[in-house]
Amino acid sequence: MTGSDESPSFRLVYVPGVMPDKWVRIWNERQPDVPLALTQVPAGAAAGRLLDGDADAGLVRLPVDRTVFSAIPLYTEQTVVVVPGDHLVTAVDEVSPEDLSDDIVLHPLDDVLDWEDLPGRPAVERPATTADAIELVAAGIGVLIVPLSLARLHHRKDLTHRPLKDAPESSVALAWPEEATTDLVEDFIGIVRGRTVNSTRGRRPALPEGNPKGGAGRKPVPGESAAGRSASAKPTGKGGQSAGRSGRGAPKGGRRGKPRRRS
């Protein structure tokens, strides 16, 4: 959070390819007095920004260190291969790793996929970034395997992509330092989970006055006062008459007084 002399804000970092626009819009509708500061950071830098206190939460790629971070998985992306528009694999709807055996498969240093065995032939040198690798694909140097969102982020008219089966996938999560779970973090959790503004989940609602345990009593009748509820809760005696009243109940038919004498 910011210093005490400044208005509070919620600081969110996100990695390339993630589109937080919908969640940001909902936040601005629900929290008009708490600005959301949004910063894009490289995937490998997100954890450090959170641990250094530069952000309250982050939309990151898994895995994260679960000994220090809490994380809520949001979705898993499809993996695709980015190729020039005239590549042979554009003739099929889905590509297998074997289809790339003759291609140079670029492996940028900021790759977010966890490969055990990268398909194809390795490049002489690894590109520094995914953006650099895209330029090499456009130059006909090789092909690139990335999550679908990164293929869309770096879209070019001279390139296309196809789904790649039997490949690692990348999952996106909302993460924050476990020891820094603030009310604002809880509010953002509610938004990404699709909770309504009136949802009882998230922050704990205040308990009714005079009901410290949160027990549910009799629902009040509209217009009934607290005193009326208290009186109606008194035990009753025989025949449903209030135990606080003395004497017999009203005669049958609701008429009181002596019976009329017959002529």
Side-chain angles (χ1 to χ4, degrees):
M1 300 296 293
T2 57
S4 58
D5 57 337
E6 299 179 5
S7 299
S9 65
F10 183 68
R11 300 163 301 166
L12 181 73
V13 295
Y14 69 104
V15 298
V18 175
M19 302 296 290
D21 301 22
K22 175 183 176 181
W23 298 319
V24 172
R25 175 178 55 80
I26 297 174
W27 176 275
N28 291 334
E29 291 173 354
R30 297 185 184 179
Q31 300 278 9
D33 297 328
V34 183
L36 192 153
L38 196 62
T39 306
Q40 180 175 288
V41 297
R49 295 290 292 269
L50 292 171
L51 290 177
D52 290 343
D54 295 331
D56 301 296
L59 296 169
V60 304
R61 293 192 181 274
L62 295 176
V64 295
D65 186 352
R66 297 304 290 266
T67 64
V68 293
F69 290 109
S70 295
I72 300 174
L74 301 177
Y75 57 88
T76 298
E77 290 196 65
Q78 183 182 57
T79 301
V80 300
V81 55
V82 180
V83 298
D86 58 354
H87 195 281
L88 290 176
V89 300
T90 59
V92 298
D93 294 330
E94 187 179 54
V95 181
S96 69
E98 292 75 20
D99 294 331
L100 304 176
S101 58
D102 294 331
D103 288 284
I104 293 176
V105 177
L106 302 167
H107 192 200
L109 296 175
D110 64 354
D111 184 24
V112 297
L113 298 173
D114 186 16
W115 287 101
E116 290 186 3
D117 187 16
L118 190 71
R121 297 183 294 132
V124 175
E125 186 177 352
R126 294 183 65 181
T129 66
T130 297
D132 292 335
I134 288 289
E135 294 296 327
L136 294 175
V137 175
I141 304 299
V143 301
L144 176 65
I145 302 172
V146 290
L148 178 58
S149 67
L150 291 181
R152 290 173 172 169
L153 178 66
H154 298 287
H155 171 72
R156 292 175 50 131
K157 291 182 179 180
D158 54 345
L159 302 181
T160 188
H161 59 267
R162 291 291 185 273
L164 180 66
K165 61 182 181 181
D166 301 326
E169 296 176 321
S170 177
S171 296
V172 173
L174 174 66
W176 66 96
E178 187 172 353
E179 296 182 354
T181 307
T182 64
D183 284 344
L184 293 180
V185 170
E186 290 283 5
D187 288 339
F188 197 78
I189 290 171
I191 289 174
V192 300
R193 283 184 162 171
R195 297 175 190 159
T196 65
V197 68
N198 295 322
S199 173
T200 57
R201 299 183 65 183
R203 294 197 196 185
R204 186 182 298 276
L207 296 176
E209 184 178 355
N211 188 15
K213 295 184 179 180
R218 183 177 68 85
K219 292 183 178 180
V221 177
E224 182 182 33
S225 66
R229 291 196 299 272
S230 176
S232 65
K234 292 181 179 179
T236 56
K238 185 178 180 180
Q241 184 182 23
S242 172
R245 293 176 58 189
S246 60
R248 296 181 180 180
K252 186 176 180 181
R255 300 177 61 184
R256 292 180 177 272
K258 297 181 180 181
R260 292 183 179 179
R261 186 176 179 179
R262 292 183 180 180
S263 56

